[in-house]
Amino acid sequence: MAFGDFLSKKMKKSIEKNMQKSTLTAENIQDTLKEIRLALLESDVNVDVVKELIAKIKEKAEGGYIQEGVKANQQMVKIVHDELIEILGKENSPLELSKKPSVIMMVGLQGSGKTTTANKLAHLVRKKNSKNPLLVGLDIYRPGAIEQLVELGQKNNISVFEKGKQDPIITAKQALEFAEQNGHDVIILDTAGRLQIDEKLMNELNELRKNTSPSETLLVVDGMIGQEIINVTNEFNRLLKLTGVIVTKLDGDARGGATLSITYMTKLPIKFIGEGEGVSSLSPFYPKRMSDRILG
Ligand code: GDP
């Protein structure tokens, strides 16, 4: 099952089961909402998000929204669909790439998929935005991280700048110069992660941010960690002022409710989702497409 499938199955089933009548009634609205609420909770959607969604759906379903001649199930699907889009952030939030060059700083806990995603993102901006990206290896703590970035770069024909275990701030500054001399217009910094958030890491990342003025500071989070995503995102955002989130490993998370809660809970857009290990398995996140996927 793919990302969102679990919720999709339950939602559709509940609407179909309870909405056989041709119109919305107080009774069939109540029965459907009860099951939708359960489906959301079972999918690991945050409790606050569930409350908000249910309240909004109820208000619309019971209010003047009801249209003559449209079947109850179709009306309910439309209401839930629209409210899901709202909760997911309405519109796609595109990458800010107007600066020349634009620096994208990738941050996240170790193992979240940062290095893999940096490579995928370079591939994507080259293909979709016609950019000439430069990957910069700054993860001096995780053994093999820089070698991994170099290897992925070679495989996908993307330039990688690295200076081994040298101070990341010096390496980043050299990378900016290198980019200017070699016509790279997007610079993607693969920074160090730790197993847990700690002050030393955050101070280092903050210094790096001050020295490179990124247009985007993107948090890479592992979709498999569930509700913990919200805490990790809030903590990184508090200390680093993120511009967006990339959720990885959603190919393994059919429930996906924690991901669906991120924007409402943290006010940050999900810019991309990763659904596989391959270089092409990173997609821009569109709230409408996600809602279509769940209710389509
Ligand atoms: P980092 O420590 O944050 O740099 O993590 P890595 O980029 O090394 O990723 C950790 C592991 O997660 C690697 O085995 C990746 O191939 C894997 N990974 C990353 N993104 C995805 C994804 O979207 N789906 C799957 N299935 N695996 C992923």
Side-chain angles (χ1 to χ4, degrees):
M1 281 215 291
F3 175 44
D5 277 1
F6 179 86
L7 182 59
S8 174
K9 225 170 125 187
K10 295 244 164 175
M11 286 258 214
K12 283 190 209 158
K13 202 170 141 196
S14 124
I15 294 173
E16 282 313 312
K17 189 180 108 195
N18 295 300
M19 301 262 154
Q20 299 294 349
K21 291 221 182 83
S22 61
T23 53
L24 290 175
T25 64
E27 200 191 356
N28 65 21
I29 291 172
Q30 198 187 14
D31 290 345
T32 311
L33 284 181
K34 222 159 113 187
E35 287 181 26
I36 289 181
R37 185 176 166 276
L38 206 63
L40 290 163
L41 288 171
E42 282 175 356
S43 304
D44 203 23
V45 175
N46 182 281
V47 183
D48 291 345
V49 178
V50 176
K51 274 192 200 145
E52 173 73 12
L53 256 175
I54 295 297
K56 287 275 175 63
I57 298 167
K58 188 166 188 271
E59 196 185 312
K60 269 198 180 173
E62 289 178 349
Y65 195 83
I66 296 165
Q67 291 166 274
E68 288 290 323
V70 180
K71 282 194 175 152
N73 57 354
Q74 286 168 349
Q75 291 200 36
M76 200 59 175
V77 166
K78 165 112 180 67
I79 293 170
V80 179
H81 183 265
D82 290 352
E83 290 311 317
L84 263 179
I85 294 174
E86 287 288 319
I87 285 281
L88 295 174
K90 282 192 209 164
E91 304 283 343
N92 165 256
S93 177
L95 276 181
E96 169 54 52
L97 296 174
S98 58
K99 268 211 252 170
K100 283 197 167 67
S102 299
V103 176
I104 302 176
M105 184 168 159
M106 311 282 278
V107 300
L109 295 175
Q110 217 173 75
S112 59
K114 209 167 358 75
T115 303
T116 321
T117 306
N119 180 65
K120 288 183 193 176
L121 192 60
H123 175 77
L124 190 139
V125 299
R126 183 173 61 188
K127 208 170 152 192
K128 296 244 163 80
N129 308 87
S130 306
K131 298 288 183 188
N132 180 16
L134 176 68
L135 285 165
V136 185
L138 302 174
D139 188 352
I140 59 171
Y141 297 116
R142 180 163 70 77
I146 292 177
E147 291 80 358
Q148 183 191 348
L149 192 69
V150 170
E151 218 169 275
L152 287 169
Q154 274 168 358
K155 199 168 150 196
N156 298 293
N157 209 12
I158 296 162
S159 305
V160 179
F161 187 93
E162 58 91 12
K163 291 284 174 190
K165 300 242 181 273
Q166 176 178 276
D167 176 0
I169 293 178
I170 298 174
T171 306
K173 283 182 177 169
Q174 291 172 343
L176 292 182
E177 276 171 33
F178 178 89
E180 195 170 335
Q181 287 155 8
N182 292 277
H184 292 287
D185 45 11
V186 173
I187 302 166
I188 302 176
L189 309 178
D190 182 26
T191 69
R194 298 267 164 80
L195 290 174
Q196 276 170 340
I197 296 170
D198 65 52
E199 212 180 307
K200 187 164 176 280
L201 169 72
M202 288 302 170
N203 289 339
E204 283 175 15
L205 292 175
N206 246 327
E207 275 308 300
L208 192 59
R209 191 169 66 101
K210 283 183 197 148
N211 279 279
T212 55
S213 310
S215 306
E216 294 274 4
T217 305
L218 301 176
L219 175 71
V220 179
V221 275
D222 179 341
M224 301 293 279
I225 65 174
Q227 287 301 318
E228 188 55 20
I229 293 179
I230 309 293
N231 297 333
V232 171
T233 306
N234 277 331
E235 197 60 5
F236 267 90
N237 191 31
R238 189 170 66 80
L239 299 158
L240 283 173
K241 296 191 180 64
L242 303 172
T243 57
V245 181
I246 300 180
V247 191
T248 63
K249 308 187 196 178
L250 288 175
D251 44 317
D253 188 9
R255 290 176 186 249
T259 300
L260 304 180
S261 315
I262 292 176
T263 297
Y264 183 82
M265 296 303 290
T266 70
K267 309 295 168 229
L268 284 165
I270 299 173
K271 296 227 172 188
F272 299 93
I273 53 173
E275 291 179 281
E277 293 188 83
V279 68
S280 304
S281 60
L282 185 74
S283 334
F285 183 76
Y286 287 90
K288 181 175 177 309
R289 283 189 204 166
M290 190 68 227
S291 188
D292 288 349
R293 203 197 264 202
I294 293 170
L295 287 155

